[in-house]
Amino acid sequence: MKASAGGYARASSLRNALEMLAASDGNGRVLAGGQSLVAALNLRLSAGDVLIDISRLSELSGVTETQDGLRIGALTSHAEIGRNPLIRQSAPLLSQAVEFIAHAAIRNRGTMGGALAHADPAAEFPACVLALGATLHVEGLNGSRDIPVEDFFQDIFETAIEEGEILTGLSVPKAEPGEKQVIVEVARRSGDYALAGVCLVTRADGHRLSLFSVGPKPVLAEGAMAALDQGNIDGAVQALQAEIDPPSDTQASAAYRRHLAGVLLRRAAARIEGGNA
Amino acid sequence: MTEMFRDKIDISLTVNGEPVEARVPAGQHLVDFLRGELGLTGAHASCEHGVCGACTLKVDGKAVRGCLMLAAQADGADVWTVEGLSDLGAIKDLQDVFVERNALQCGFCTPGMLVAINELLEAGGMPSRDQIREHLSGNYCRCTGYEAIVDAVESVARVRAHKGAA
């Protein structure tokens, strides 16, 4: 179908975008790469929105090294995340995830910030940043806020970004020496959304494990993390299967997704043990 | 609010190397603008939600979905369609091998395939069959079944890699 848009304006700066958002009477939608938003407009899942195009704001793009981590601008494309040497070195989970996200032409325009703000529970990046313990940066006309990732994803397509705010970027801690990061998923075809997926990070102070496509938002599996910390993989699989409540749909049943989550956790753990992470 | 947001947007861009100026509706896809306003009907609008790849275009040097980019967003952009790449001769070897190998039947997906493959081949090197399949995973063909397409891409990549090495 054809997109239905109530209007369009290109922002000249972040401040300008925030002013337009405030003036849009709640009808404003922030347009970055558009790889989910324009698809939604085409499918008429949303109609009459006024589009605030932030895609040219160079201030929101790129990856920089900070004292203890990396700061990733919201407009950094999936393709750039995939080839960025700082990310490959310090947050390899994100580099690995790019290979699972859609297709080359979509990765060229899709943005990290767009993926996080859209908060599709089947998407890879939200689960990755949850596993990494990221901090999300949002800005409104009254100033900026930092949101811990544990508080950011709230429900299907719902985040802690408030009316009038724009996600400007995120910070992720740098991988410690010896830290391992792995993402595994099962999808029916290359580039499809996963039936289930797992992100596993091992740090000196313990494991972090997140899952996607198993509920209305990415899940941090704390019971399974505690079992992994004790070296108990069977216990971790059991704990994991008890702490998720996956949906049944035309792609897979809840029971199959729960089974798959356990299989994927074992695969991720084996990858880390095998040193292929 | 009405002053800030426009229903019609003035854009100025280059398409296949030629300057173009136009006034486009806010919700018009880039591929519809190229097809309907400029008569460049090579790229096809098909699924219109980014799945099938028939609308693939080259924008500012990168392959993109023509149905997931608004014409309004192409202001200032350098856009190439299969017609332009064809006129330049940039994909002649690929087109010839597609015919030779019977890598198309109805041809509906072929323009998007060619633009997507062009991006892979421009990156240089010799991609494996797996890499070719992965790169084309976002381009659906409903009649040939891909094997001949992968063969065609592989043989062009091999010839280009040899030329590069020579």
Side-chain angles (χ1 to χ4, degrees), chain B:
Chain B
M1 181 176 127
T2 47
E3 289 161 28
M4 269 182 194
F5 299 103
R6 304 276 172 177
D7 295 338
K8 298 272 196 305
I9 297 94
D10 293 323
I11 59 171
S12 153
L13 65 163
T14 61
V15 178
N16 297 334
E18 305 276 345
V20 172
E21 290 191 0
R23 176 165 287 188
V24 298
Q28 185 173 52
H29 313 153
L30 181 56
V31 68
D32 280 350
F33 168 70
L34 296 168
R35 290 175 57 83
E37 304 305 314
L38 304 187
L40 295 165
T41 53
H44 292 130
S46 182
C47 77
E48 298 192 319
H49 60 288
V51 175
C52 78
C55 64
T56 308
L57 303 163
K58 186 177 180 182
V59 177
D60 294 330
K62 297 173 198 151
V64 306
R65 293 282 198 250
C67 74
L68 295 187
M69 180 167 177
L70 301 176
Q73 292 183 288
D75 185 35
D78 178 34
V79 176
W80 287 85
T81 69
V82 73
E83 289 91 341
L85 296 174
S86 193
D87 288 350
L88 282 184
I91 51 173
K92 183 169 191 314
D93 51 355
L94 203 50
Q95 288 167 313
D96 289 348
V97 174
F98 258 57
V99 173
E100 223 169 81
R101 296 265 184 169
N102 208 24
L104 72 159
Q105 286 183 34
C106 84
F108 186 85
C109 69
T110 311
M113 289 268 181
L114 293 172
V115 177
I117 297 161
N118 184 51
E119 179 179 56
L120 177 69
L121 295 182
E122 278 183 343
M126 179 65 214
S128 67
R129 286 181 77 85
D130 278 354
Q131 285 168 323
I132 294 167
R133 282 188 180 279
E134 168 58 32
H135 196 85
L136 285 178
S137 64
N139 290 74
Y140 286 8
C141 163
R142 298 281 88 147
C143 42
T144 72
Y146 305 104
E147 203 63 25
I149 295 170
V150 177
D151 289 346
V153 178
E154 193 182 28
S155 68
V156 172
R158 191 172 295 124
V159 171
R160 287 201 192 180
H162 280 166
K163 272 188 192 153

